[in-house]
Amino acid sequence: MSNITTTSFRANAHLLKLLGDQLIGDDRLAVFELVKNAYDADATSVEVELNLNNEQPYIAIWDHDGHGMNKNTILTKWMEIGTESKRNSNWIRSSKFGRLPLGEKGVGRLAVHKLGSIMQLNTRSKGFPEVQITIDWPKVIGQATYIEDTKVQVEELATPLYFPDEMTGTRIVVSNLNKLEWTRGDIRRLKRLLTSLTSPFKTTSDFEVFLTVPGREVDYDDVLDAEDVINNALWKYEFEINTNGEFSYHYTFNPPSLYSSLKSETKAGNNEALELFPPSKEERLSRFFENRNDLLLTPNDLTNIGPIKGCFYVFSREKEILNALGAYQSIRQYLDDNTGIRVYRDGIRVFNYGERNDDWLGLNAMRVNNPGKRIAVNLVIGNVELNLENSRGLEEKTNREGFDENEDFIRFRLITFSIMEHFHLLHLKARQQLQDAKQGANKKEKLPTQRFEENIQKLKDGLVKHKLDKELGGQLSKIESDYKQMRQVTLSAVTGVNLSVIFHEVERGIIQLNSDIQKNVDYNTLRERSGHLAKLLEGFAPLLKNNASKKFPARALIEGALDFSQHRFSHHGVIASCPLKTDEAVDFEIKGPSNLLLAAINNIIDNAIHWTGLKAEKGNDADYKPGIQITTLTDFFKEGPAIVVLDNGPGFDLTPDEAIQPFNTTRPGGMGVGLYYADQVMESIGGKIIITTAEDLDLSEVYSGAAVALVFNKVN
């Protein structure tokens, strides 16, 4: 017969030190955690004193008006590790300010281990004596085998030491500090962290934090507040998503007064639908099944997240522009230490989002492919505000360094990135105008000065030196080959094609790759940048290859385009029509490279599918069905016959001239080269692209959205 023994787990006393020392990242975060306890106690303010001049250096965290604790609370809650005093049925709003508790893990009090080995706690609640506890952690742990064997004395004081009369609150002093050498930078970082605990963008706050470091005031007195800097931001972007998923925003552009040609700009929207950035597979699966293919944010996407609001202040770090603002050095220094997008819940910061070198939204990764147009994390000071009660799905890690990366967080990140993408698309035009104004002031444009061949050779040498030639060498060779072929053909044979902007982008990308190699940038970034360059060249290379011109009917080209996109029409519920098939339009003969023209039309159709699908999702018209028509006009344009792609989407937000410029787009995640490619194809055969409306073409006004005409030269 088996011999079965029932037993239970026991925790070694040393676990107390491990929990405090290992779970908290650094000294600043330990102070941060103890300050948050004062917030949970309904205090209006808390003082943090770092006294390094004392014979026995110490750190004190003291709130003078929190609800404090009595002896019974100490014994039944504070002394219990992982207590439920702030979780589950005890997760309720405070009596004074209606605050929901931030500390739910029940281990924050052990943060003192990160700071020092001796702690004295004095606390008093209303109607009770002041209570004092002194803990010498090495001694307490050293005298016990298991946690339940540790002994701590809890003393009710006959005469209060720190909370006389009717005062309540808590004072914690940590001595025998682990860190005794605090540099000027350490103190300034602590100051900035404590200042950031409450959102700097709220006009009023019921909780404040004050830091004093006796004898070291000169080290932190000149630390700028956010308000001192954000007034110099070029762009301000406020946003809000309500519980119904409706999106509102207010965008302003404030150029430096030195650039008199630039005008301030304001744009706003109220209760609109937010278009999401094209999600990754992981992000798509984090959405509810019925919404996974939706282009727009839905109320379901806010489940366990709740309403979101915030503000982005976006800067330029270029010396000429900062000088134009009149505060180059101070702003640049502040941006070095304070840029990033922070997260706040009920006005209290969630660490460590927005810390230096933190890029939780992946802004820098996106900027790899478009450094001149994308927003890097060191260009923005931002906050994202959440409601604690409605964002329970976002669970803070036990070590207090961000949220657990569960499905709710993945969805929250996608939504926040989509908001940033909305700003990105809004500000592109102003950003280009700012660059043009700056270059005009300098009377010259800054272009790469080294020859492409020299940079390629340096890059090859760098790959070999850093042992990356096997991983990236093949792709680099393809980039070099495609680039040289395109340059040679452009210079010698092709007329009407202007790909200088593409060449410039590739040249700049090669220079950046070379720089990244020397800086030992991580492999994934290098691979992504080189992949972007290869994709860019791959898309345009066919334009300059030997594409034979032949004669064929327009009908064949249109039917080929319809066949190519038929599966997408079905998937997106698009009603596609072609009057040529019913002899309602007139066919004509084209002479040109059929494969390039087919690619150009497919790019236009792709845009039409996206925008009509987006309009359908917005649901402003219950009877709306996405529609696309491809037809011909043989006598409308004096230059010659045309193929016209019409849709009933929202139409163009860009002007016709802007729409055909490379890298211009209002589509989240778009490259902005589709119409530019089509324009170059038409120019290469002596034709042109015209962006207009069905009304202007005397065509059916059912297609009230975009109309793109490919006009062929009569000679051809």
Side-chain angles (χ1 to χ4, degrees):
M1 185 174 180
S2 301
N3 182 13
I4 300 175
T5 301
T6 301
T7 186
S8 59
F9 289 103
R10 286 187 293 182
N12 191 282
H14 184 63
L15 183 62
L16 290 172
K17 177 172 174 56
L18 289 178
L19 285 172
D21 195 36
Q22 303 295 324
L23 289 181
I24 304 298
D26 60 26
D27 299 75
R28 295 182 307 131
L29 186 52
V31 174
F32 190 83
E33 279 301 304
L34 294 172
V35 168
K36 281 164 60 175
N37 285 341
Y39 174 88
D40 287 348
D42 253 357
T44 58
S45 65
V46 61
E47 297 177 12
V48 177
E49 179 186 355
L50 171 60
N51 197 320
L52 301 172
N53 290 334
N54 195 58
E55 184 177 336
Q56 178 71 296
Y58 63 85
I59 294 175
I61 298 93
W62 188 350
D63 73 77
H64 296 273
D65 60 356
H67 57 56
M69 294 178 285
N70 58 40
K71 184 176 181 180
N72 184 61
T73 304
I74 293 287
L75 295 175
T76 60
K77 296 179 180 179
W78 195 84
M79 290 295 297
E80 182 179 332
I81 306 302
T83 179
E84 289 200 357
S85 63
K86 299 180 184 179
R87 296 201 308 270
N88 301 327
S89 61
N90 294 314
W91 198 70
I92 58 177
R93 294 191 177 276
S94 62
S95 57
K96 187 176 180 181
F97 292 110
R99 297 171 181 167
L100 287 170
L102 299 172
E104 297 182 60
K105 307 291 186 181
V107 296
R109 73 209 63 169
L110 299 179
V112 294
H113 280 290
K114 196 72 182 179
L115 299 173
S117 61
I118 298 176
M119 182 198 78
Q120 179 175 306
L121 179 145
N122 289 76
T123 184
R124 186 182 185 185
S125 63
K126 187 175 182 180
F128 292 90
E130 182 176 324
V131 179
Q132 179 172 292
I133 302 174
T134 301
I135 302 176
D136 183 331
W137 286 107
K139 184 177 179 180
V140 168
I141 294 171
Q143 291 178 346
T145 303
Y146 301 105
I147 287 182
E148 59 265 31
D149 299 328
T150 55
K151 304 298 180 184
V152 174
Q153 290 185 342
V154 181
E155 179 184 4
E156 285 187 330
L157 301 179
T159 303
L161 291 177
Y162 300 101
F163 301 98
D165 303 323
E166 297 300 316
M167 286 183 62
T168 62
T170 300
R171 180 179 186 267
I172 296 175
V173 177
V174 183
S175 57
N176 200 20
L177 299 180
N178 298 327
K179 180 183 177 71
L180 292 173
E181 298 297 326
W182 287 71
T183 66
R184 180 174 184 269
D186 292 333
I187 293 174
R188 294 173 74 85
R189 282 188 288 272
L190 177 61
K191 167 77 172 179
R192 282 192 291 264
L193 178 63
L194 295 176
T195 301
S196 74
L197 178 64
T198 56
S199 174
F201 307 109
K202 296 182 70 173
T203 54
T204 59
S205 176
D206 55 24
F207 185 70
E208 295 181 286
V209 186
F210 302 96
L211 172 68
T212 58
V213 187
R216 300 284 296 272
E217 290 82 3
V218 68
D219 288 337
Y220 63 91
D221 274 349
D222 63 338
V223 173
L224 295 175
D225 292 327
E227 291 83 354
D228 299 325
V229 176
I230 58 179
N231 290 332
N232 289 297
L234 296 173
W235 291 275
K236 180 182 179 181
Y237 177 80
E238 298 172 284
F239 58 88
E240 182 171 0
I241 298 175
N242 63 23
T243 52
N244 296 321
E246 295 167 328
F247 174 61
S248 301
Y249 68 91
H250 190 271
Y251 160 96
T252 56
F253 170 54
N254 295 303
S257 57
L258 182 65
Y259 299 135
S260 57
S261 62
L262 298 180
K263 305 300 180 185
S264 297
E265 180 183 32
T266 298
K267 297 178 183 178
N270 190 45
N271 294 338
E272 297 183 354
L274 174 66
E275 185 176 359
L276 295 176
F277 189 86
S280 65
K281 181 179 180 180
E282 181 185 41
E283 290 167 340
R284 181 175 170 273
L285 293 176
S286 74
R287 305 180 74 191
F288 284 82
F289 180 79
E290 59 268 30
N291 303 118
R292 282 180 182 168
N293 294 318
D294 290 353
L295 299 174
L296 300 173
L297 177 75
T298 70
N300 272 348
D301 291 317
L302 298 175
T303 301
N304 297 326
I305 297 171
I308 304 170
K309 65 179 180 179
C311 186
F312 300 148
Y313 293 88
V314 181
F315 299 78
S316 170
R317 296 177 66 93
E318 296 185 57
K319 188 172 183 178
E320 296 93 330
I321 295 174
L322 289 179
N323 278 337
L325 294 171
Y328 167 71
Q329 195 61 42
S330 59
I331 295 178
R332 186 68 179 263
Q333 184 176 352
Y334 186 89
L335 294 178
D336 284 342
D337 297 315
N338 292 277
T339 43
I341 297 176
R342 297 169 180 168
V343 178
Y344 292 84
R345 290 211 284 193
D346 282 5
I348 300 298
R349 186 177 173 191
V350 179
F351 193 84
N352 56 354
Y353 301 115
E355 281 296 280
R356 189 172 187 175
N357 300 321
D358 171 71
D359 185 17
W360 64 282
L361 288 180
L363 300 182
N364 291 343
M366 288 297 295
R367 194 172 185 267
V368 162
N369 293 334
N370 285 295
K373 298 180 182 291
R374 282 281 173 184
I375 299 298
V377 72
N378 67 349
L379 298 177
V380 58
I381 296 174
N383 70 308
V384 178
E385 304 270 0
L386 295 169
N387 179 297
L388 180 57
E389 186 170 14
N390 293 328
S391 63
R392 297 298 303 279
L394 301 175
E395 300 178 357
E396 289 189 57
K397 297 176 183 176
T398 304
N399 66 359
R400 293 301 197 268
E401 294 189 8
F403 293 121
D404 290 329
E405 297 203 9
N406 56 23
E407 288 187 352
D408 295 321
F409 173 74
I410 292 169
R411 205 166 59 252
F412 167 62
R413 186 172 56 195
L414 170 64
I415 295 169
T416 308
F417 187 87
S418 299
I419 295 170
M420 173 55 80
E421 180 71 359
H422 183 265
F423 163 77
H424 164 73
L425 295 172
L426 281 178
H427 98 296
L428 276 176
K429 184 177 180 180
R431 186 168 181 172
Q432 185 59 54
Q433 291 173 343
L434 183 64
Q435 287 301 311
D436 292 343
K438 187 196 74 170
Q439 290 166 3
N442 291 340
K443 304 301 181 185
K444 63 180 180 179
E445 182 179 2
K446 294 184 178 180
L447 295 173
T449 56
Q450 293 176 293
R451 297 177 61 187
F452 180 80
E453 292 81 359
E454 294 173 350
N455 280 297
I456 279 286
Q457 189 56 52
K458 287 183 179 180
L459 189 51
K460 288 179 179 178
D461 295 341
L463 290 178
V464 173
K465 179 180 178 181
H466 292 82
K467 299 181 180 179
L468 292 170
D469 51 314
K470 290 184 178 180
E471 289 87 349
L472 297 176
Q475 194 167 60
L476 182 62
S477 296
K478 187 176 187 308
I479 292 172
E480 181 182 16
S481 174
D482 286 351
Y483 177 92
K484 287 183 176 179
Q485 181 184 10
M486 289 175 71
R487 271 294 193 195
Q488 183 179 3
V489 175
T490 301
L491 293 173
S492 62
V494 178
T495 59
V497 177
N498 177 20
L499 295 185
S500 61
V501 67
I502 303 299
F503 293 136
H504 176 71
E505 187 77 6
V506 175
E507 289 164 353
R508 184 172 61 180
I510 290 296
I511 290 174
Q512 185 62 54
L513 263 176
N514 204 353
S515 174
D516 289 345
I517 288 287
Q518 305 308 318
K519 295 176 182 177
N520 292 317
V521 171
D522 66 277
Y523 169 68
N524 287 334
T525 299
L526 297 175
R527 183 178 61 181
E528 187 171 353
R529 185 184 292 280
S530 61
H532 170 74
L533 296 179
K535 183 178 179 181
L536 195 61
L537 283 168
E538 184 180 346
F540 284 86
L543 182 59
L544 300 178
K545 291 180 180 177
N546 185 21
N547 296 290
S549 290
K550 57 184 180 181
K551 292 183 178 181
F552 54 90
R555 179 174 185 149
L557 183 63
I558 293 172
E559 289 180 345
L562 290 171
D563 289 343
F564 183 84
S565 296
Q566 187 56 51
H567 69 290
R568 297 193 66 204
F569 294 148
S570 299
H571 180 73
H572 294 282
V574 176
I575 300 171
S577 65
C578 176
L580 272 176
K581 290 186 175 182
T582 55
D583 296 324
E584 296 174 81
V586 180
D587 199 0
F588 65 90
E589 194 171 69
I590 295 172
K591 183 180 180 182
S594 60
N595 58 330
L596 297 184
L597 290 168
L598 180 61
I601 293 175
N602 285 338
N603 278 331
I604 298 168
I605 291 175
D606 178 72
N607 282 336
I609 290 174
H610 173 82
W611 292 110
T612 56
L614 189 66
K615 184 175 179 179
E617 270 193 41
K618 289 184 177 180
N620 297 327
D621 182 355
D623 298 324
Y624 175 80
K625 299 289 184 184
I628 296 174
Q629 184 181 90
I630 308 180
T631 189
T632 59
L633 290 174
T634 54
D635 299 316
F636 189 89
F637 297 102
K638 64 180 181 180
E639 294 89 344
I643 293 175
V644 184
V645 181
L646 305 152
D647 68 55
N648 63 345
F652 280 93
D653 285 333
L654 299 172
T655 66
D657 287 341
E658 290 171 341
I660 62 172
Q661 293 303 309
F663 312 118
N664 268 357
T665 181
T666 57
R667 179 174 170 178
M671 288 184 68
V673 294
L675 287 175
Y676 177 66
Y677 175 88
D679 179 61
Q680 293 302 299
V681 169
M682 293 305 295
E683 282 200 22
S684 71
I685 61 172
K688 66 179 180 179
I689 186 172
I690 295 178
I691 295 173
T692 181
T693 64
E695 182 181 8
D696 288 343
L697 297 175
D698 294 332
L699 295 171
S700 173
E701 293 185 17
V702 169
Y703 299 98
S704 56
V708 180
L710 303 180
V711 183
F712 296 85
N713 192 299
K714 283 180 181 178
V715 175
N716 288 336

